[in-house]
Amino acid sequence: MSERESFGVVLRRARERAGMTQGALAGLVGKSVGQISRLESGERNPHFELVRACEAALGCAGELLPAFEASRRADGPPGAWTRRRVLCASAGAALSSLLPLGLPARAGAADEGVLAGLRECFLHARQMGQRGDANMALALLPGVCAGAQQQALGTGDEAARRSALRLGARSAEYAAWMQQEAGDAGMAERWITLAEQMAKESGYTELLPNLVLRRALIAYYAGWARRTIELTEALVGDERIDPRVRCRAAQRQAQGYALAFDEANSRRSVDRARSLAVAEEPDAMALGSIHVPDQVSMTEGWCATELGEHEKAISLLDKEIDRLAPDARRARARFGIRAVLSCVGAEDLRGAHLRLGRFADDIQAVGSATVALDVRQCSRSLRRYRGEGQAVELAERLERLAS
């Protein structure tokens, strides 16, 4: 997207045409002058609700939304990563063959050896997703789901049927994440629907709140702050739900509030998450991230980046990234580019260079569409340096990552 077409340029033009200062607009939409300035400079992406609020304040209904939507399209996965989506399309075709469920079971017994093999295949796919390209994991996960479904349909043993469907639901839940990482949120929603069906048929009720969190993550990366907050609100307050799930919900809620520039509520959600955090034993089948030792502190650093508290973000992210295993490449890429983004925000270009050098291989290896959003936001944030040597070099390195 060109500078001329960017959301920030369109917003500034509409504000100036209305004869309004940044401070006046900030007061009308409940934000700070600095937040409006960062929107106009392209350092921050808006969210949907803020776009609508700005349109109402400036009397330019329908003018800002097209620029916002164009900016989201421009932040999509880069071309080189898109070419990898041949496997992604194959996963979608396999998914179509799995829906719907609800067929009657046949008499017979499930093959425990086959189920064990499918479980190992799922764990291998998860390792691949954590260490490399999401599409490689997506090459395996549809087969696990199909095999689990066949095992469930081929037995009259209710316990075996439930076990098979739970494995299928678990695989579909992870496939939803990998599909989002591959850049197809619509297909990710379909995987979530499949996981819901399998979970309900097998009585796997503890998976259902995690599927709500999957939807909240899709909303977050689409820029829908309010939707992210709404999806997580009921989970955080429901004491019947596992505290670990509620902790993850509070973290996602904190990110939603940070996306909406709501610093006070974001901090409250982080505090709530910390109060719900419990020590977890390592478990390869565990839901959620298994490579981030202190997820709450990492989320706090993430939100600090979103809120412009860059020094705090750098301190928190650096400390927690150092605790990540070397093979946790997706986590290293995700949080590493956040640290780069905070360094740029703090005008520490040397620090940004050093961190990008540390995590560039991880970013390239995982080819994540969601990480790509931060790569591009980091590139936009460098525009204010207008040709400064270090900034130009850093921008070129980011462009190489996105090509």
Side-chain angles (χ1 to χ4, degrees):
M1 185 180 218
S2 71
E3 177 77 19
R4 180 178 58 82
E5 298 170 325
S6 72
F7 175 83
V9 169
V10 176
L11 174 61
R12 182 169 64 246
R13 185 169 59 241
R15 176 180 60 76
E16 291 174 347
R17 188 176 62 239
M20 196 176 293
T21 65
Q22 288 183 341
L25 177 58
L28 288 173
V29 298
K31 305 302 175 187
S32 70
V33 176
Q35 289 166 344
I36 297 300
S37 176
R38 289 195 292 273
L39 285 174
E40 291 189 354
S41 68
E43 294 176 44
R44 276 295 308 266
N45 288 325
H47 58 85
F48 178 80
E49 294 85 0
L50 180 56
V51 173
R52 286 301 199 195
C54 287
E55 285 186 336
L58 297 172
C60 61
E63 183 175 339
L64 301 181
L65 188 58
F68 165 72
E69 291 174 342
S71 73
R72 300 305 300 179
R73 288 194 296 272
D75 281 339
W81 293 344
T82 301
R83 287 195 293 272
R84 298 180 185 179
R85 293 164 77 182
V86 174
L87 288 172
C88 185
S90 300
L95 173 59
S96 297
S97 70
L98 285 167
L99 292 170
L101 295 175
L103 297 176
R106 297 191 298 271
D111 188 324
E112 286 298 326
V114 171
L115 279 178
L118 290 171
R119 190 171 291 106
E120 286 301 314
C121 191
F122 164 72
L123 293 175
H124 183 58
R126 192 174 188 188
Q127 286 183 340
M128 293 175 72
Q130 291 158 352
R131 298 173 183 175
D133 194 320
N135 286 310
M136 299 304 294
L138 286 169
L140 297 177
L141 291 166
V144 177
C145 287
Q149 187 178 30
Q150 289 169 2
Q151 287 294 299
L153 293 175
T155 180
D157 184 323
E158 184 61 21
R161 177 176 175 275
R162 288 175 179 269
S163 178
L165 285 175
R166 288 184 175 210
L167 176 59
R170 194 65 187 78
S171 300
E173 183 269 341
Y174 192 67
W177 171 228
M178 291 293 96
Q179 203 85 59
Q180 184 179 5
E181 284 289 88
D184 194 337
M187 192 62 70
E189 287 279 5
R190 293 186 65 195
W191 279 112
I192 292 171
T193 298
L194 174 62
E196 283 176 337
Q197 292 177 337
M198 285 184 160
K200 288 175 181 176
E201 282 209 16
S202 62
Y204 192 6
T205 55
E206 57 266 42
L207 181 64
L208 297 176
N210 288 278
L211 297 175
V212 176
L213 289 181
R214 282 275 170 245
R215 287 201 163 98
L217 191 63
I218 291 172
Y220 175 80
Y221 277 112
W224 291 75
R226 184 178 300 172
R227 177 68 173 158
T228 305
I229 295 164
E230 288 173 348
L231 283 168
T232 54
E233 184 67 36
L235 300 182
V236 173
D238 191 343
E239 295 185 357
R240 297 169 299 177
I241 295 174
D242 187 327
R244 294 170 295 184
V245 179
R246 294 171 64 203
C247 177
R248 289 195 290 273
Q251 291 173 64
R252 187 76 66 242
Q253 186 179 64
Q255 291 174 314
Y257 279 123
L259 184 62
F261 302 109
D262 189 338
E263 181 181 342
N265 276 318
S266 182
R267 286 181 175 175
R268 273 194 284 270
S269 293
V270 167
D271 290 342
R272 184 70 178 274
R274 188 161 279 116
S275 73
L276 291 165
V278 294
E280 297 190 47
E281 293 295 325
D283 180 1
M285 289 292 289
L287 290 158
S289 174
I290 60 175
H291 282 296
V292 181
D294 186 348
Q295 295 180 33
V296 179
S297 291
M298 195 75 94
T299 298
E300 186 177 10
W302 181 288
C303 293
T305 301
E306 204 79 70
L307 293 165
E309 300 173 326
H310 297 300
E311 296 294 345
K312 175 182 177 181
I314 293 166
S315 175
L316 285 166
L317 291 171
D318 280 353
K319 177 183 176 182
E320 296 306 320
I321 290 170
D322 283 344
R323 301 175 66 189
L324 296 176
D327 63 351
R329 305 198 77 173
R330 192 165 299 277
R332 286 170 57 84
R334 180 168 316 286
F335 298 109
I337 192 61
R338 274 269 143 172
V340 174
L341 185 59
S342 280
C343 285
V344 172
E347 301 184 353
D348 178 8
L349 296 187
R350 181 175 179 277
H353 271 288
L354 290 173
R355 287 164 180 81
L356 186 60
R358 182 181 177 190
F359 303 114
D361 287 347
D362 298 311
I363 295 169
Q364 192 70 50
V366 300
S368 162
T370 55
V371 170
L373 294 175
D374 279 346
V375 171
R376 292 179 182 277
Q377 184 173 338
C378 194
S379 182
R380 281 196 303 272
S381 297
L382 290 167
R383 291 174 182 168
R384 70 177 184 269
Y385 291 97
R386 299 187 182 281
E388 186 177 321
Q390 272 194 319
V392 170
E393 183 183 349
L394 184 58
E396 289 174 350
R397 294 176 70 186
L398 291 164
E399 285 300 317
R400 286 195 293 271
L401 281 178
S403 64

